[in-house]
């Protein structure tokens, strides 16, 4: 390894999409306008979180009574309650399905192993995995490619202001749930936490649009047909997804705050907390149901905490060095994990670009390879005698447990099979279990760690709903337990606690979160005494990993091509002003403009916002009146709010329209200019744009630092930012900034000399592996 000042690994200069795939805009800036959504290349748009303060909007708000305000507040909380309720139900259903589908597979395989039918056992195991993977890949590839992957990068990009098609549609939600169940049950080393986040966000988005895509409307939901309220509820849904996946309500809330949301306020914190509390209460009832034995073959699964409270955690100063060592190891392995996953995803993209058949073949090939590996590896493990003080039946037959018989003689168990022939939840429970220091051999932990590390990397990029949260926990727990075995009696911590700390270290090394991961692990283990050690190992692993590359979700987002705005500006942006990146041509409208001109501009451009300028005789000189949105112009054309002469008249705009007309429709429900039919007579008429123009758009002077403009743009949640001249001479508008103008590839394309600037973040590179790949 050596230090390099070349491009950061977390912000690759060359995303998965080629430049030819990005030609969707008629303006000069054609970068970052398409992205890989799930497994499909789609055009992406920006969301507008700004309050559009038109005269019509102000009049509508003044006209609203107290009853309407109470309805709005009540529906906010009611929607949060429904999101918590539905996400907990989906989490319970998914967990129950995985435990029983995988349970049946493992029971049938184990029964055949007991009678010595090893070949048939392998065929059943491999065929079951193959069919489950084939089903998951087919429904994903043919019905909803947007459901592929974990969904966290897509949701995170949405909360940053990137609108991608179909990420929250009903078909994506169904495929996400069904495909995730099938993929996790197929013994692929993938998780269900990421898909649960996407599921929660999709449920929230579908609830708030109220079925408008299907002709179902409810008056009370009309108030929420805007990007701001939809964003807030999607944030609550994402928090509920993590809460349902790990039964960690506070951890889910902090995950949404630390990792997902780009914009936060105290009122949203309260509603997200309420949502995750509903999830926790509902799952508590489901856990009670599972305690009564009603959950099926394989016990309680992920709905029960990995309880290590029975072990009194006592540690001293001499235990700190091993914990620091785990943090360093986790940082190195985490950054290596991100590096290898980045390379694998680029390789998979070459195959996936050839068509649906290649995507499905790749998924099936990974399934066959995984089945052969998982069934073959336990044969190399040594059989161990059952402990005399075992707290459960040894060997465990027909259910989950620490003592799988596999090919061993009576009274013996195969420790590697105990980890492999279980669901991921049960494998984690086995690794976290206390008073089991003698139950797993060191070579078993090493083999299991290497297997999980590489299988989780090659399994993520295939066309199935798949998360990496749980595989990272399993992988980290395995090497954490192995480190505990190496340290042995030199530490007061048992191997189960080392497994917990190992999981924390790899999570910190890959995902670069601290607070939320610490709380999630504490809620998982139900052990507050671990807090200081977990905090320490997370801080060390994140610090070490940050020296190499970035957050795994940020890497995936940028590989997919999402125009994500970072919270910080790159140093070279301080050397530029906004006028250095503004591109044309700029299209403007007059305050009263001809219908034919409006239609022509809308037909020949894809812009979504247009400056409105008043010129003489309406004003003494050219004056910026405001900004009008493309969607609002289409509404005016559709409603035919025309006047016969270009003179400002007191048209009854407030009587002719309601706020519902300008509300944003359901996901993907957008009127198009091509669908409008206008006569020649109507084309010669005029529209007074003043009542529908945002008279207070955000503007910056052309000499403002690009770095400052980026921070303002992101913090306010803008879609358009007007650039005005420093000296008012000529046109009152220089140009419009959108999120695409802040993308590094656009800036460096305009100013290539900055590519070699010394103002780059210092990163360590895996040079031998870089040359290998």
């Amino acid at each position: 390894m050596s230090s390099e000042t070349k491009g950061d690994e977390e912000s690759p200069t060359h995303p998965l999409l080629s430049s030819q795939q990005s030609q969707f805009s008629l303006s000069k800036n054609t970068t970052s306008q398409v992205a890989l959504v799930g497994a499909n290349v789609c055009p992406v748009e920006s969301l507008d979180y700004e309050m559009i303060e038109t005269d019509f909007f102000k009049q509508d708000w003044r006209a609203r009574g107290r009853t309407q305000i109470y309805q709005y507040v009540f529906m906010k909380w009611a929607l949060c309650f429904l999101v918590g309720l539905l996400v907990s139900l989906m989490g319970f259903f998914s967990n129950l399905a995985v435990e029983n589908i995988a349970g049946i597979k493992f029971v049938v395989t184990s029964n055949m192993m007991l009678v010595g039918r090893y070949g048939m056992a392998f065929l059943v195991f491999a065929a079951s995995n193959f069919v489950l993977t084939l089903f998951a890949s087919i429904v994903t590839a043919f019905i909803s490619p947007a459901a592929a992957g974990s969904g966290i990068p897509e949701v995170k990009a949405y909360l940053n202001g990137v609108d991608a098609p179909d990420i929250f549609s009903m078909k994506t939600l169904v495929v996400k749930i069904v495909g995730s169940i099938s993929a996790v049950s197929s013994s692929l080393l993938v998780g269900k936490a990421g898909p649960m986040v996407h599921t929660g966000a999709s449920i929230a988005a579908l609830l708030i649009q109220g079925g408008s895509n299907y002709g179902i409307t409810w008056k009370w939901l009309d108030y929420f047909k805007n990007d701001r309220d939809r964003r807030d509820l999607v944030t609550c849904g994402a928090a509920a997804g993590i809460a349902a996946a790990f039964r960690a309500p506070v951890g889910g809330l902090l995950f949404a705050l630390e990792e997902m949301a780009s914009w936060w306020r105290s009122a949203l914190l309260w509603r997200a907390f309420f949502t995750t509390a509903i999830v926790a209460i509902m799952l508590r009832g489901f856990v009670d149901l599972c305690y009564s034995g009603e959950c099926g073959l394989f016990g309680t699964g992920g709905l029960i905490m990995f309880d290590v409270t029975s072990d009194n955690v006592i540690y001293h100063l001499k235990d700190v060095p091993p914990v620091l060592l785990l943090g360093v190891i986790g940082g190195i392995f985490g950054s290596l994990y991100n590096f290898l996953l980045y390379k694998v995803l680029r390789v998979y993209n070459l195959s996936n670009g050839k068509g649906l058949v290649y995507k499905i073949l790749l998924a099936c090939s990974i399934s066959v390879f995984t089945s052969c590996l998982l069934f073959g590896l336990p044969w190399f493990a040594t059989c161990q005698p059952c402990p005399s003080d075992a707290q459960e039946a040894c060997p465990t037959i027909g259910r989950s447990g620490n003592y799988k018989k596999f090919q061993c003689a009576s009274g013996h168990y195969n420790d590697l099979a105990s980890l492999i022939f279980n669901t991921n939840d049960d494998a984690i429970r086995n690794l976290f279990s206390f008073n089991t220091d003698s139950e797993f051999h060191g070579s078993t932990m090493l083999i299991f760690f290497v297997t999980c590390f590489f299988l989780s990397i090659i399994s993520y990029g295939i066309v199935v709903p798949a998360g990496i949260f749980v595989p990272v926990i399993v992988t980290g727990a395995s090497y954490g337990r192995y480190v505990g075995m190496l340290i042995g009696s030199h530490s007061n911590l048992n191997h189960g606690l080392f497994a917990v700390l190992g999981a924390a270290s790899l999570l910190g090394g890959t995902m670069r979160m601290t607070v939320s991961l610490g709380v999630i692990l504490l809620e998982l283990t139900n052990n507050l005494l671990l807090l200081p050690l977990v905090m320490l190992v997370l801080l060390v692993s994140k610090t070490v990993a940050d020296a190499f590359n970035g957050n795994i979700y940020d890497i995936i987002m940028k590989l997919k091509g999402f125009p994500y705005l970072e919270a910080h500006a790159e140093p070279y942006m301080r050397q530029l002003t906004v006028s250095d990146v503004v591109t044309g041509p700029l299209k403007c409208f007059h305050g009263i403009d001809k219908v034919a001109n409006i239609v022509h501009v809308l037909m020949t451009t894809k812009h979504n916002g247009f400056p409105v300028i008043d010129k003489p005789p309406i004003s003494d000189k050219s004056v910026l009146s405001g900004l009008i949105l493309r969607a609002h112009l289409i509404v005016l054309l559709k409603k035919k709010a025309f006047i016969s002469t270009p003179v400002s008249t007191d048209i009854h705009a407030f009587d002719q329209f309601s706020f519902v007309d300008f509300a944003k429709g359901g996901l993907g429900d957008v009127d198009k200019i091509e669908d409008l039919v206008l006569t020649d007579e109507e084309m010669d008429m005029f529209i007074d744009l003043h009542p529908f123009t945002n008279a207070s758009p955000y503007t910056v002077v052309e000499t403002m630092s690009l770095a400052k403009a980026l921070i303002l743009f992101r913090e306010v949640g803008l879609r358009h930012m007007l650039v005005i001249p420093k000296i008012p001479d000529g046109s009152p508008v220089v140009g419009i900034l959108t999120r695409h103008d802040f993308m590094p590839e656009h800036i460096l394309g305009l100013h290539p000399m900055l590519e070699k600037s010394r103002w780059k973040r210092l990163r360590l590179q895996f040079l031998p592996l870089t040359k290998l790949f």
Side-chain angles (χ1 to χ4, degrees), residues 324 327-328 504-505 508 513-515 532-546:
L324 294 175
V328 174
S505 70
M513 292 175 279
T514 52
V515 180
L533 298 180
V534 171
M535 291 173 63
L536 182 61
V537 77
L538 283 171
L539 287 171
V540 173
S541 63
K542 181 186 185 305
T543 302
V544 172
D546 278 340

Side-chain angles (χ1 to χ4, degrees), residues 372-535:
C372 294
L373 195 63
L374 296 183
F375 194 88
L377 285 176
W379 292 90
F380 297 96
T382 58
C383 295
Q384 301 188 53
C386 291
S388 57
D389 58 345
Q391 297 180 358
E392 58 181 272
C394 181
T396 51
I397 300 174
R399 59 188 181 86
S400 60
N402 279 14
Y403 309 103
K404 289 289 185 180
K405 186 175 182 295
F406 204 66
Q407 89 290 6
C408 297
S410 179
H412 291 71
Y413 71 97
N414 189 313
D415 56 349
L416 185 54
S418 300
L419 297 173
I420 289 177
F421 280 81
N422 269 320
T423 61
N424 287 334
D425 292 335
D426 290 314
I428 294 172
R429 182 178 292 102
N430 292 347
L431 292 169
F432 283 5
S433 57
F434 59 92
N435 294 331
T436 57
D437 289 2
S438 60
E439 292 181 9
F440 296 98
H441 197 271
S443 61
T444 296
M445 288 294 98
L446 191 59
I447 293 173
F448 189 65
F449 161 66
V450 174
T451 302
C452 292
F453 187 87
F454 289 102
L455 281 184
S456 62
I457 290 174
I458 66 174
S459 300
Y460 178 76
I462 60 178
V463 61
V464 298
I468 57 176
F469 212 114
V470 173
V472 167
I473 293 178
V474 176
T475 306
S478 59
Y479 80 71
R481 197 172 182 103
Y482 181 68
V483 170
M485 293 176 179
L486 295 178
I487 294 175
S489 60
H490 297 290
S491 174
N492 295 314
L493 305 178
N494 66 56
H495 297 173
L497 297 182
F498 269 105
V500 175
L501 296 176
S505 70
L506 193 58
L507 284 170
T510 55
M511 301 180 184
R512 313 298 160 82
M513 292 175 279
T514 52
V515 180
S516 57
L517 290 179
V519 174
I520 287 173
L521 285 170
L522 293 181
E523 290 183 292
L524 275 178
T525 58
N526 196 25
N527 195 337
L528 191 59
L529 296 175
L530 284 175
L531 179 59
L533 298 180
V534 171
M535 291 173 63

Side-chain angles (χ1 to χ4, degrees), residues 177-247:
I177 296 171
V178 175
S180 174
I181 292 172
S182 182
V184 175
S185 302
S186 69
S187 291
L188 290 173
L189 205 64
V190 297
K192 57 188 176 183
M196 275 306 303
V197 172
H198 195 177
T199 298
S202 298
I203 289 174
L206 289 170
L207 276 177
I208 202 168
Q209 76 184 45
S212 57
N213 281 0
Y214 308 99
I216 304 172
T217 57
W218 188 25
K219 185 177 180 180
W220 283 25
L221 289 177
D222 288 341
Y223 305 122
F224 298 93
K225 291 182 178 180
N226 59 80
D227 291 332
R228 290 170 62 90
D229 287 311
R230 189 171 293 164
R231 171 197 60 188
D232 289 352
L233 196 63
V234 167
T235 303
C236 295
I242 286 291
F246 296 113
R247 219 182 108 203

Side-chain angles (χ1 to χ4, degrees), residues 75 80 120 129 151 162 169 247 282 329 342 357 360 489 497 605 628 631 647 674 770:
M75 285 304 300
C80 289
M120 185 58 67
N129 293 339
V162 181
S169 65
R247 219 182 108 203
M282 294 299 298
I329 295 174
Y342 164 76
V357 175
I360 296 173
S489 60
L497 297 182
T605 69
I628 191 166
V647 179
E674 292 81 6
T770 303

